Amino acid sequence: MSDKDLRYTAEHEWVDARDGVATIGITAYAAERLGDVVYVDLPEVGAAVQAGTVIGEIESTKSVGELYAPVTGTVTEVNAAVVDAPETVNADPLGEGWLVRVDYAELPELLGADEYEALTRA
């Protein structure tokens, strides 16, 4: 998967939306800014999430960042491997470091790769 195929939020989450399921993680930019991730708190499977609301936390040696839901729906899967090995978020934020999967009915307007890149340069 190319980062050009993903959609993004201004809060530095990426979304890979396919067939009503959104795979969500934090961007490489966010992972780099956070520093070494040491703890990840994710919602429970079955939790209802609302776009724009906090659904988890990512703690690093530098700070604690909040994970926002980019879509409204129901959590269908959490990446337990990231909970057990949080450093995976730094090592592969766009791949093995994905965080949650959410079933959604409607995909909100999200940023394209070029728009997100412009945001990170601002």
Side-chain angles (χ1 to χ4, degrees), residues 108-121:
E109 181 126 356
L110 298 168
L111 303 172
D114 293 338
E115 294 168 304
Y116 180 72
E117 187 176 321
L119 175 77
T120 61
R121 284 184 272 131

Side-chain angles (χ1 to χ4, degrees), residues 36-40 58-59 80-91 97 99:
D36 295 333
V37 174
V38 296
Y39 177 74
V40 177
I58 301 170
E59 185 176 328
V82 167
V83 173
D84 293 340
E87 63 276 7
T88 307
V89 173
N90 295 110
L99 300 173

Side-chain angles (χ1 to χ4, degrees), residues 26-101:
I26 65 166
T27 65
Y29 175 84
E32 183 180 312
R33 302 287 280 194
L34 275 170
D36 295 333
V37 174
V38 296
Y39 177 74
V40 177
D41 179 37
L42 299 174
E44 297 288 326
V45 170
V49 297
Q50 183 74 30
T53 62
V54 175
I55 61 169
E57 285 187 346
I58 301 170
E59 185 176 328
S60 72
T61 55
K62 291 182 182 179
S63 67
V64 175
E66 294 179 324
L67 175 66
Y68 291 86
V71 298
T72 297
T74 303
V75 175
T76 58
E77 189 176 353
V78 297
N79 189 349
V82 167
V83 173
D84 293 340
E87 63 276 7
T88 307
V89 173
N90 295 110
D92 190 11
L94 301 180
E96 295 299 314
W98 67 272
L99 300 173
V100 296
R101 291 200 169 107

